[in-house]
């Protein structure tokens, strides 16, 4: 279980995360949603230990250190691999450093995305690089897989097929925390939605609860954020008025 208690993080005096508490059991696919700058990426990087913070983050009751960090993997569109190394080279590197690395899953996902195994990553397109980040995260052998906007640069057909493949390959003990703006696309594949706004958790609901209430995920998010449906028309009226 991944537990976050009273987590706060500031940048140059400005709060990016404000007293965040969250519990994520094993075996869940959790969507993390929020506006740009809401704190989604900062939250993930605090879990990984990339940022200092106040509060507590534990994995199965223990602090996250070099002893258990391999239980967490990270897929990001920031491209954290070795650009001059090929996918095959990365596979060999990961096999050496992660005993639970899955060669079978690696080969299957490489074939699914139709990625070349012997070309340097620097020669991949942006979409291909993002696909490869996801492959490494899924094959590392981690119990918790964090994904931060992993599908940038991928077409809608690739994304839809990947969601289906993801559901098919995940083991019962594997957990995914997925941060994305593609809310409607992933609504059928996640089991829980966590909403963050201005560094605070403002919503936490299962998709089953939404179904029982007859709500869509998008409607729930709009209600939680107090979305104003008339904001576009008002802006256009003001702009048109100024133009006149």
């Amino acid at each position: 279980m991944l537990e976050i208690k009273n987590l706060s993080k500031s940048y140059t005096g400005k709060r990016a995360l404000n007293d965040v508490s969250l519990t994520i059991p094993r075996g869940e696919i959790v969507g993390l949603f929020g506006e740009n700058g809401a704190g989604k990426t900062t939250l993930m990087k605090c879990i990984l230990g990339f940022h200092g913070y106040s509060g507590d983050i534990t994995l199965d009751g223990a602090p996250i250190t070099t002893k258990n960090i391999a239980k967490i993997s990270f897929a990001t569109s920031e491209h954290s691999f070795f650009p001059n190394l090929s996918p095959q080279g990365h596979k060999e590197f990961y096999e050496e450093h992660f005993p639970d690395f899955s060669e079978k899953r690696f080969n299957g996902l490489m074939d699914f995305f139709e990625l070349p195994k012997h070309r340097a990553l620097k020669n991949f397109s942006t979409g291909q690089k993002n696909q490869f980040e996801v492959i490494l995260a899924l094959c590392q052998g981690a119990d918790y897989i964090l994904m931060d906007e992993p599908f940038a640069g991928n077409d809608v057909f690739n994304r839809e097929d990947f969601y289906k493949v993801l559901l098919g390959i995940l083991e019962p003990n594997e957990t995914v925390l997925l941060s994305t703006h593609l809310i409607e696309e992933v609504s059928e594949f996640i089991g829980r939605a966590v909403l963050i706004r201005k560094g605070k958790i403002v919503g936490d609901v299962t998709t089953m609860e939404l179904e029982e209430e007859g709500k869509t995920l998008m409607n729930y998010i709009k209600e939680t954020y107090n979305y104003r449906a008339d904001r576009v028309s008002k802006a256009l009226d003001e702009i048109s008025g100024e133009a006149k």
Side-chain angles (χ1 to χ4, degrees):
M1 179 179 291
L2 181 64
E3 290 188 275
I4 301 166
K5 295 181 180 179
N6 308 117
L7 175 65
S8 293
K9 168 65 182 174
S10 297
Y11 295 106
T12 61
K14 183 178 179 181
R15 281 286 178 95
L17 295 173
N18 190 357
D19 199 32
V20 170
S21 293
L22 185 66
T23 299
I24 304 176
R26 289 178 182 267
E28 288 191 346
I29 301 180
V30 182
L32 181 63
F33 305 110
E35 302 151 309
N36 292 329
K40 303 185 297 297
T41 299
T42 298
L43 175 59
M44 289 190 173
K45 290 187 174 181
C46 285
I47 293 171
L48 291 159
F50 293 171
H51 295 319
Y53 56 84
S54 63
D56 296 297
I57 303 176
T58 57
L59 183 63
D60 297 331
I64 299 173
T65 66
T66 54
K67 294 181 179 180
N68 60 0
I69 189 64
K71 292 183 178 180
I72 304 175
S73 63
F74 187 39
T76 169
S77 56
E78 295 178 359
H79 303 149
S80 56
F81 43 67
F82 306 107
N84 292 315
L85 204 61
S86 67
Q88 180 65 25
H90 280 84
K91 181 181 83 71
E92 294 169 3
F93 177 84
Y94 268 60
E95 285 176 327
E96 184 176 344
H97 290 84
F98 299 104
D100 294 325
F101 182 85
S102 174
E103 181 179 12
K104 182 178 180 180
R105 183 179 286 187
F106 178 86
N107 290 331
L109 288 173
M110 287 293 291
D111 290 342
F112 170 75
F113 284 117
E114 299 180 344
L115 297 179
K117 291 184 179 179
H118 301 285
R119 183 191 303 170
L121 268 296
K122 65 181 180 182
N123 297 319
F124 279 30
S125 69
T126 298
Q128 289 176 321
K129 290 176 181 177
N130 292 340
Q131 290 166 355
F132 189 66
E133 286 264 6
V134 170
I135 290 174
L136 288 179
L138 287 170
C139 297
Q140 178 180 310
D143 295 326
Y144 286 84
I145 303 159
L146 311 184
M147 296 185 179
D148 187 16
E149 294 291 352
F151 307 115
N154 282 273
D155 62 74
V156 64
F157 303 111
N158 244 328
R159 295 196 303 266
E160 183 177 346
D161 287 344
F162 173 73
Y163 302 141
K164 296 175 183 176
V165 169
L166 181 63
L167 288 177
I169 67 173
L170 287 177
E171 298 292 339
N173 65 320
E174 289 181 295
T175 298
V176 173
L177 179 61
L178 171 63
S179 169
T180 180
H181 291 294
L182 303 173
I183 297 168
E184 293 179 321
E185 280 192 14
V186 302
S187 61
E188 296 181 8
F189 301 94
I190 63 172
R192 177 180 169 195
V194 174
L195 278 56
I196 186 168
R197 191 178 199 190
K198 296 180 179 179
K200 294 183 177 182
I201 301 296
V202 295
D204 189 347
V205 66
T206 66
T207 53
M208 185 175 295
E209 289 171 336
L210 290 177
E211 288 179 11
E212 290 174 351
E213 296 176 14
K215 293 182 180 179
T216 66
L217 177 58
M218 182 62 78
N219 286 338
Y220 171 74
I221 292 174
K222 287 182 176 180
E223 288 177 8
T224 304
Y225 287 166
N226 296 315
Y227 174 75
R228 303 191 320 274
D230 63 343
R231 65 193 294 260
V232 174
S233 59
K234 284 186 176 180
L236 290 175
D237 287 343
E238 290 178 7
I239 293 170
S240 299
E242 290 178 4
K244 293 176 181 179

